Each structure stands twice: as structure tokens, then as C-alpha cells.
Amino acid sequence: MENRKPAVSIVFASAQGSTREIAEYIGNDLAARGATVEVADAEHAPDLSRFDAVVIGSAVRDMALLPTVAEYVASHRNELSARPVWLFSVGIEPALRGPIGHLIGRMVPKRIAAVRDSIGPREYQAFAGHYERVGVSLGARVLYRLLGGGRYGDLRDWTAIGAFSDSIAQALKLHAPHTIPIHP
């Protein structure tokens, strides 16, 4: 990677679009810093042999990464171990407030930890996503409120996402961007 642009594959699985938008934001940021970036969903991920680094992102369902990402990691474990990898997840837990919410928000569910530990990423980060009230059962809404959920809508922390992207860029020795990517 010394005298050429590092090539970064960003692989994601999204349930409602938040994870895709975060993956695209990170991809735009790294490209603005000089990397060659390809963003693709896990089902259409490119061959990893032409990439120097990989960023993997997944929505969280039932306290686990989406099956397409878990399967992707399992089937590409050898290729992933040969290059630096970063992992992020997108769920509701990081948006929870209050004592119980903060405790839950800091916990890494066992099934996510198992996938994380199987590839040993340089960094794992959990982000809040989009959480809409429409279509959510009354019981789930009450539980969300009891656990410290304060509001509905776009709960993503773009400053934290930018810091995660910046840490990837620093590890890859990329320069500062000429323009700051704008989040969706």
C-alpha cells in the first residue's frame, strides 16, 4: 500500500437502509482521502484478493448480525484474516439512555461477539440506526421506552460514524479529505 492507493472493500447487509447509508458514507469518506473503494452488499461482494482492507457492516436483528453477513464472514474467514478488517453493526441498543439503557447499549450480544472474534477486526463499533414507530408493536414500543429509548426516527450519530471512518483512514495512512462527505 506504500506507493499506491489502498483498495478497500466495504461489505454490508442492511434491513431498512441505515446500514447501507453508513457503508456508503464511510466509502465516500475513504475515497475522498485517496483510497480506491468498492461498496457492495454481502450477497454481491467482490473477490477480496484485490483489496488491501475490508470494512464489514450489518444491521442487527434478534441480537445478531444479519445472516448474509454471518455467512459471508464464515465463508471468507481465511481471506479476511490476511488483511485488516473493521466491523460495525447498526441496531437500536446504542440509542438507549438511562442506567439500564446505557448498560444494554455497551453490551455486545454473544452472537455478534462470536462473529467479531472469529475475524479479529482492528475495531468493532455499534451504531444506532433508524427506528420508526410505525409497524412496531405496542409491547416493543413500551419496552423501548422502558429501556431508555427517547425518540423515534433517525438515531444515527454521524459524528461517531465519522470518527470510526477517520480511524480506518488513519490506520491505512490516508490523507485528510479535501471535502467532508455529507451524511444522508
Side-chain angles (χ1 to χ4, degrees), residues 50-105:
R50 55 193 176 92
F51 293 97
D52 302 303
V54 181
V55 178
I56 302 170
S58 176
V60 174
R61 250 308 135 72
D62 297 325
M63 297 177 41
L65 301 177
L66 293 180
T68 54
V69 163
E71 292 164 12
Y72 176 84
V73 167
S75 64
H76 293 87
R77 191 169 289 125
N78 290 337
E79 296 106 317
L80 293 169
S81 67
R83 57 194 40 82
V85 176
W86 287 263
L87 178 65
F88 71 92
S89 63
V90 180
I92 197 61
E93 292 81 7
L96 299 177
R97 302 291 177 249
I100 296 172
H102 282 295
L103 179 65
I104 291 170

Side-chain angles (χ1 to χ4, degrees), residues 10-14 19-20 23 39-43 55-58 69 88:
I10 301 179
V11 178
F12 69 91
S14 190
T19 308
R20 177 186 45 78
V39 180
D41 66 79
E43 293 176 346
V55 178
I56 302 170
S58 176
V69 163
F88 71 92

Side-chain angles (χ1 to χ4, degrees), residues 152-166:
Y152 295 93
D154 190 349
L155 306 174
R156 292 172 288 184
D157 180 348
W158 290 104
T159 302
I161 295 165
F164 178 69
S165 185
D166 188 56

Side-chain angles (χ1 to χ4, degrees):
M1 288 191 293
E2 282 78 24
N3 291 329
R4 66 176 183 83
K5 292 180 176 184
V8 181
S9 175
I10 301 179
V11 178
F12 69 91
S14 190
Q16 298 175 341
S18 292
T19 308
R20 177 186 45 78
E21 290 174 351
I22 292 170
E24 290 171 348
Y25 174 87
I26 294 169
N28 289 336
D29 182 43
L30 297 178
R33 295 169 182 259
T36 301
V37 178
E38 187 169 333
V39 180
D41 66 79
E43 293 176 346
H44 302 96
D47 175 21
L48 291 178
S49 65
R50 55 193 176 92
F51 293 97
D52 302 303
V54 181
V55 178
I56 302 170
S58 176
V60 174
R61 250 308 135 72
D62 297 325
M63 297 177 41
L65 301 177
L66 293 180
T68 54
V69 163
E71 292 164 12
Y72 176 84
V73 167
S75 64
H76 293 87
R77 191 169 289 125
N78 290 337
E79 296 106 317
L80 293 169
S81 67
R83 57 194 40 82
V85 176
W86 287 263
L87 178 65
F88 71 92
S89 63
V90 180
I92 197 61
E93 292 81 7
L96 299 177
R97 302 291 177 249
I100 296 172
H102 282 295
L103 179 65
I104 291 170
R106 285 192 303 268
M107 293 172 48
V108 179
K110 289 181 182 179
R111 292 185 289 172
I112 294 175
V115 172
R116 178 198 64 197
D117 296 347
S118 75
I119 56 173
R122 290 197 174 191
E123 186 177 352
Y124 163 71
Q125 190 69 247
F127 300 115
H130 228 257
Y131 189 60
E132 295 297 338
R133 184 181 168 134
V134 176
V136 176
S137 71
L138 175 62
R141 289 194 316 263
V142 168
L143 183 61
Y144 173 65
R145 291 293 187 183
L146 288 173
L147 293 176
R151 64 182 178 88
Y152 295 93
D154 190 349
L155 306 174
R156 292 172 288 184
D157 180 348
W158 290 104
T159 302
I161 295 165
F164 178 69
S165 185
D166 188 56
S167 72
I168 297 168
Q170 288 179 20
L172 296 175
K173 297 180 175 37
L174 298 172
H175 58 76
H178 297 292
T179 60
I180 306 293
I182 298 173
H183 60 81

